[in-house]
């Protein structure tokens, strides 16, 4: 028995790894590991995205395939990969052959550009609106009837209020939550950073659970019924309202919030290697075209140009004062360095 | 005799050993070496800063503490389960036997979500515990529950063969010489199965230390309080800090290895003493 133990342990460790070894790379990228260019007349695109865009891109892919067949006479198959934004970026850095990345924050694509050199550092200036074809913001979801009377950011730091948000260290959406609250506090306190720090500390003292991603936090709030208010993307909140038939939760729009700009980019070298560069560029430009903008609005994202969207879709977006991460924090690199790195402001909240 | 039969069954000693070494190198040794190299890239001061700051220390205590408690619980209750399955024949025994393996097969995230649903304040069990002041989900208690779940089969499956090998006559002899059932268990049965029990304990413990999938859902992930080390490693990776993640992983590996070595020694000692006693 004693002698068998290490082998038993090894066998248990190896069994799951061995099972999915050699085939996984081909599966993940959808083509052979050699990365042979696809035949002319037929092309495959891999769009690596984050969680809440699944439905949007499912619909957009059909639209684009049809358009591309008509315009370029080429059959295009689009594969989607969804997951937490950080994990997705990590996968692309580690070699997932994405032709297109559509992630939650610019920082993730910056990292891909820096670490792989498969797209230029200035990727964000290549498409209009800093490469964000649609935007969103951070709003509150509260219980039906809003029993705790939560109306604005101030109400979140009161004693006895439980706030649900994912961990800013693991979730792009949670970073927006944090920066939205910080921006509000700055506005309330004449840009006094110490006051903003106090505010954000008080807010996170009211957080009983830190989920690692946005969907997990929504589950904690909606299904487990924990907490009085959920900080979440506007598109996730609207989706939750639709899914729950507005029966259990309500959306509350704060006086001011952050402009969330989920960016898109072509990973040039990957697309080139598959002979898919042209299609990949057209795919992203199509997001800015009337049909793309209309679809974004339908899936609860704020389109950059509103004239093509359905009126009814646009009416769901409340008037709200928005500040961008670039204007308020000097961009993602700066925000990351100050707030979310190890030893940054967010970590200081939990120092003993 | 045994050698000739081995040759008949498998294609020769050299080939199998070569394969074993290659296989282990590719799948176990190489990734571990890469891990150490990544961590080594940090330099001494950065390594200390990454691997021993207060938040990481808190996570070590939590991780090893909950893993230890869960393994102790599993050793006790796993023994009971294995005993029941080996010693008694009753309707539904096969079903229970199959159920024991379920934590092996289930993706841990699934068990984590299910356990959280059951033990959170509105869950089937949580709603009865909460009024009594017992919070399970989103506390270290919840982590122990998840680790007990994933560790149980290790104890049961290592104990079963040992219990089956046990000769009932020895126990009967003890009883006929006037020993009470408890005396029989402590002085006759337990020494015989102790090495297997320790093995099961060690496996459950080792498995629990690295557990991630189920724990992230039930722990609540609060820094300094319910943040396990594996989550901190993933957090570092998501911040593109591979070296920092490797530093923590190396410390975890070193501690686990030391602990497992200790348990292994204990196993040998208990095995030897038992043999000497007989």
């Amino acid at each position: 028995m004693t002698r068998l133990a290490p082998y038993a342990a090894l066998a248990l460790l190896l069994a799951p790894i061995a099972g999915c070894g050699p085939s996984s790379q081909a599966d993940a990228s959808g083509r052979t590991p050699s990365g042979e260019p696809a035949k002319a007349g037929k092309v495959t695109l891999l769009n690596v995205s984050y969680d809440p865009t699944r439905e949007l891109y499912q619909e957009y892919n059909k639209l684009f395939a049809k358009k591309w067949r008509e315009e370029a006479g080429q059959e295009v198959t689009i594969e989607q990969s969804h997951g937490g934004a950080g994990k997705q970026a990590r996968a692309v850095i580690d070699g997932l052959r994405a032709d297109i990345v559509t992630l939650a924050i610019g920082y993730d694509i910056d990292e891909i550009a820096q670490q792989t050199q498969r797209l230029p550092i200035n990727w964000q200036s290549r498409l209009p609106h800093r490469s964000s074809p649609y935007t969103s913001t951070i709003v509150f979801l509260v219980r039906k009837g809003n029993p705790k009377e939560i109306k604005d950011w101030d109400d979140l730091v009161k004693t006895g209020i439980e706030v649900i948000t994912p961990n800013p260290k693991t979730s792009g959406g949670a970073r927006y939550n944090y920066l939205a609250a910080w921006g509000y506090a700055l506005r309330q306190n004449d840009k006094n950073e110490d006051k903003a720090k106090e505010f954000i500390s008080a807010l996170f003292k009211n957080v009983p659970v830190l989920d690692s991603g946005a969907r997990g936090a929504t589950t904690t709030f909606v299904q487990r019924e924990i907490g009085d208010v959920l900080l979440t993307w506007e598109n996730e909140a609207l989706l939750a309202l639709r899914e729950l038939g507005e029966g259990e939760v309500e959306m509350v729009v704060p006086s001011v919030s952050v402009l969330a700009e989920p960016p898109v980019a072509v990973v040039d070298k990957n697309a080139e290697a598959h002979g898919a560069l042209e299609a990949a560029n057209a795919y992203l430009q199509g997001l800015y075209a009337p049909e793309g903008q209309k679809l974004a609005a339908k899936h609860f994202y704020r389109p950059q140009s509103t004239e093509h969207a359905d009126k009814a879709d646009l009416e769901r977006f409340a008037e709200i004062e928005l500040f961008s991460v670039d204007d308020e924090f000097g961009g993602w690199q700066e925000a990351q360095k100050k707030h979310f790195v190890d030893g940054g402001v967010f970590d200081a909240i939990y120092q003993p | 005799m045994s050698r000739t039969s081995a040759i008949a069954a498998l294609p020769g000693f050299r080939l199998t050993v070569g394969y074993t070494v290659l296989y282990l190198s590719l799948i176990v040794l190489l990734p571990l070496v890469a891990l150490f190299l990544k961590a080594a890239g940090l330099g001494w001061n950065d390594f200390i800063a990454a691997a021993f700051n207060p938040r990481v220390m808190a996570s070590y205590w939590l991780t090893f503490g909950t893993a230890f408690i869960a393994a102790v619980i599993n050793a006790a209750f796993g023994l009971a389960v294995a005993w029941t399955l080996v010693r008694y024949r009753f309707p539904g025994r096969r079903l229970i036997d199959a159920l024991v393996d379920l934590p092996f097969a289930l993706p841990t995230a699934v068990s984590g979500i299910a356990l959280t649903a059951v033990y959170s304040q509105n869950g089937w069990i949580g709603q009865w515990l909460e009024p009594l002041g017992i919070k399970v989900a989103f506390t270290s208690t919840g982590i122990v529950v998840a680790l007990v779940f994933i560790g149980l089969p290790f104890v049961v499956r290592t104990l079963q063969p040992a219990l089956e090998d046990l000769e009932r006559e020895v126990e009967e002899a003890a009883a006929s010489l006037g020993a009470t059932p408890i005396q029989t268990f402590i002085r006759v049965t337990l020494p015989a199965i102790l090495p297997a029990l320790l093995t099961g304990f060690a496996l459950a413990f080792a498995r629990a230390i690295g557990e991630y999938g189920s724990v992230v859902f039930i722990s609540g992930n609060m820094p300094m309080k319910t943040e396990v080390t594996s989550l901190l490693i993933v957090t570092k990776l998501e911040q593109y800090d591979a070296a920092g993640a490797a530093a923590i992983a190396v410390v975890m590996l070193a501690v686990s290895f030391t602990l497992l070595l200790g348990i292994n020694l204990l196993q040998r000692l208990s095995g030897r003493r038992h043999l000497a006693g007989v």
Side-chain angles (χ1 to χ4, degrees), chain B residues 1-17:
Chain B
M1 183 64 208
S2 68
R3 170 164 288 203
T4 44
S5 67
I7 287 170
L10 279 169
F13 173 74
R14 280 189 195 182
L15 202 62
T16 46
V17 147

Side-chain angles (χ1 to χ4, degrees), chain A residues 77-199:
Chain A
T77 317
I78 302 135
E79 287 162 352
Q80 285 173 277
S81 160
H82 291 272
K87 279 190 196 68
Q88 294 292 79
R90 181 85 256 150
V92 176
I93 290 170
D94 289 341
L96 179 63
R97 310 281 283 178
D99 302 293
I100 295 152
V101 282
T102 53
L103 295 173
I105 55 179
Y107 184 74
D108 290 324
I109 303 183
D110 279 346
E111 278 301 314
I112 296 172
Q114 267 166 25
Q115 298 201 21
T116 69
Q117 278 113 41
R118 297 198 149 254
L119 70 167
I121 299 286
N122 73 346
W123 62 271
Q124 199 154 17
S125 62
R126 297 193 296 181
L127 284 167
H129 304 289
R130 289 185 296 223
S131 288
S132 295
Y134 41 78
T135 65
S136 191
T137 184
I138 299 300
V139 297
F140 306 164
L141 221 49
V142 298
R143 304 274 167 221
K144 184 75 191 161
N146 197 359
K148 298 274 172 105
E149 294 182 25
I150 291 157
K151 296 201 175 65
D152 208 348
W153 293 100
D154 273 333
D155 298 314
L156 305 188
V157 299
K158 288 178 180 162
T159 44
I161 298 289
E162 285 194 338
V163 183
I164 304 297
T165 166
N167 188 340
K169 291 225 167 193
T170 48
S171 156
R175 270 173 243 176
Y176 274 124
N177 294 347
Y178 174 106
L179 294 178
W182 184 275
Y184 169 85
L186 280 185
R187 265 143 221 269
Q188 292 296 302
N189 297 297
D190 295 324
K191 306 249 162 206
N192 184 326
E193 294 240 323
D194 293 330
K195 289 266 164 79
K197 237 175 242 179
E198 273 171 39
F199 184 85

Side-chain angles (χ1 to χ4, degrees), chain B residues 180-250:
Chain B
T180 63
I182 292 175
Q183 276 176 325
T184 311
F185 178 76
I186 292 177
R187 312 203 48 168
V188 177
T189 316
L190 197 60
I193 59 166
L194 196 59
L197 189 64
L198 279 172
T199 305
F201 172 86
L203 288 175
F205 181 64
R207 177 73 185 78
I209 287 168
E211 175 56 13
Y212 172 75
S214 58
V215 170
V216 285
F217 291 100
I218 204 168
S219 68
N221 306 323
M222 298 306 290
M224 309 299 294
K225 285 189 216 132
T226 58
E227 197 174 44
V228 293
T229 310
S230 52
L231 173 70
L232 269 181
I233 293 175
V234 173
T235 305
K236 291 248 181 202
L237 286 176
E238 297 218 342
Q239 295 178 94
Y240 313 108
D241 180 8
I248 301 177
V250 162

Side-chain angles (χ1 to χ4, degrees), chain A residues 19-277:
Chain A
C20 64
S23 66
S24 63
Q25 199 193 348
D27 284 350
S29 65
R31 43 182 88 77
T32 56
S34 62
E36 256 180 345
K39 278 179 198 142
K42 225 172 185 189
V43 70
T44 307
L45 290 177
L46 175 63
N47 177 3
V48 173
S49 193
Y50 64 113
D51 265 329
T53 58
R54 190 176 280 112
E55 294 82 8
L56 165 64
Y57 281 112
Q58 255 161 20
E59 212 171 332
Y60 177 69
N61 289 344
K62 280 185 213 135
L63 193 86
F64 177 75
K66 188 166 164 277
K67 200 173 111 181
W68 194 242
R69 198 182 310 126
E70 286 161 8
E71 280 178 12
Q74 194 175 34
E75 285 296 327
V76 58
T77 317
I78 302 135
E79 287 162 352
Q80 285 173 277
S81 160
H82 291 272
K87 279 190 196 68
Q88 294 292 79
R90 181 85 256 150
V92 176
I93 290 170
D94 289 341
L96 179 63
R97 310 281 283 178
D99 302 293
I100 295 152
V101 282
T102 53
L103 295 173
I105 55 179
Y107 184 74
D108 290 324
I109 303 183
D110 279 346
E111 278 301 314
I112 296 172
Q114 267 166 25
Q115 298 201 21
T116 69
Q117 278 113 41
R118 297 198 149 254
L119 70 167
I121 299 286
N122 73 346
W123 62 271
Q124 199 154 17
S125 62
R126 297 193 296 181
L127 284 167
H129 304 289
R130 289 185 296 223
S131 288
S132 295
Y134 41 78
T135 65
S136 191
T137 184
I138 299 300
V139 297
F140 306 164
L141 221 49
V142 298
R143 304 274 167 221
K144 184 75 191 161
N146 197 359
K148 298 274 172 105
E149 294 182 25
I150 291 157
K151 296 201 175 65
D152 208 348
W153 293 100
D154 273 333
D155 298 314
L156 305 188
V157 299
K158 288 178 180 162
T159 44
I161 298 289
E162 285 194 338
V163 183
I164 304 297
T165 166
N167 188 340
K169 291 225 167 193
T170 48
S171 156
R175 270 173 243 176
Y176 274 124
N177 294 347
Y178 174 106
L179 294 178
W182 184 275
Y184 169 85
L186 280 185
R187 265 143 221 269
Q188 292 296 302
N189 297 297
D190 295 324
K191 306 249 162 206
N192 184 326
E193 294 240 323
D194 293 330
K195 289 266 164 79
K197 237 175 242 179
E198 273 171 39
F199 184 85
I200 215 92
S201 295
L203 197 160
F204 274 89
K205 293 256 147 56
N206 281 348
V207 176
V209 176
L210 277 175
D211 284 289
S212 60
R215 281 274 157 97
T218 310
T219 309
T220 298
F221 182 74
V222 176
Q223 251 114 49
R224 313 235 189 290
E225 296 177 42
I226 289 167
D228 302 303
V229 52
L230 170 75
L231 302 184
T232 183
W233 296 82
E234 182 183 47
N235 56 296
E236 282 281 271
L238 289 168
L239 187 70
L241 284 185
R242 195 186 67 186
E243 298 296 313
L244 297 169
E246 315 205 359
E248 288 173 45
V249 290
E250 283 178 17
M251 195 170 98
V252 170
V253 180
S255 63
V256 54
S257 192
V258 68
L259 175 68
E261 300 173 290
V264 301
V266 171
V267 187
D268 303 37
K269 288 199 180 150
N270 289 355
E272 249 165 39
H274 313 138
L277 190 60

Side-chain angles (χ1 to χ4, degrees), chain B residues 3-255:
Chain B
R3 170 164 288 203
T4 44
S5 67
I7 287 170
L10 279 169
F13 173 74
R14 280 189 195 182
L15 202 62
T16 46
V17 147
Y19 171 74
T20 306
V21 170
L22 178 75
Y23 186 69
L24 288 180
S25 305
L26 282 178
I27 292 191
V28 181
L29 217 55
L30 221 59
L32 286 183
V33 169
L35 188 71
F36 275 95
L37 284 180
K38 259 282 193 278
L42 271 178
W44 188 245
N45 286 338
D46 287 341
F47 176 84
I48 299 287
F52 298 108
N53 73 49
R55 191 161 155 199
V56 183
M57 289 305 291
S59 85
Y60 292 146
W61 284 115
L62 178 76
T63 304
F64 288 103
T66 51
F68 183 80
I69 294 168
V72 168
I73 294 173
N74 268 331
F77 288 90
L79 174 59
V81 172
W83 183 270
T84 315
L85 288 174
V86 169
R87 280 298 162 95
Y88 303 101
R89 294 289 173 273
F90 53 93
R93 189 183 75 94
R94 283 274 183 81
L95 186 72
I96 293 180
D97 199 47
L99 270 180
V100 168
D101 278 335
L102 213 57
F104 275 160
L106 217 57
T108 50
V110 174
S111 53
I113 288 173
L115 287 170
T116 313
V118 169
Y119 284 100
S120 75
Q121 61 191 32
N122 301 309
W124 290 343
I125 300 179
Q127 61 179 328
W128 303 107
L129 293 177
E130 204 97 334
L132 304 173
I134 306 169
K135 276 179 84 75
V136 178
F138 315 123
T139 65
S140 42
T141 316
I143 301 178
V144 172
V145 170
L147 298 182
V148 166
F149 178 87
I150 55 140
L152 180 71
F154 290 90
V155 176
V156 178
R157 290 297 179 235
T158 39
L159 270 175
Q160 268 177 325
L163 284 170
E164 268 158 12
D165 285 349
L166 212 62
E167 279 161 31
R168 238 175 233 232
E169 287 79 5
V170 184
E171 283 168 39
E172 280 160 10
S176 69
L177 289 171
T180 63
I182 292 175
Q183 276 176 325
T184 311
F185 178 76
I186 292 177
R187 312 203 48 168
V188 177
T189 316
L190 197 60
I193 59 166
L194 196 59
L197 189 64
L198 279 172
T199 305
F201 172 86
L203 288 175
F205 181 64
R207 177 73 185 78
I209 287 168
E211 175 56 13
Y212 172 75
S214 58
V215 170
V216 285
F217 291 100
I218 204 168
S219 68
N221 306 323
M222 298 306 290
M224 309 299 294
K225 285 189 216 132
T226 58
E227 197 174 44
V228 293
T229 310
S230 52
L231 173 70
L232 269 181
I233 293 175
V234 173
T235 305
K236 291 248 181 202
L237 286 176
E238 297 218 342
Q239 295 178 94
Y240 313 108
D241 180 8
I248 301 177
V250 162
V251 172
M252 253 185 125
L253 215 60
V255 177

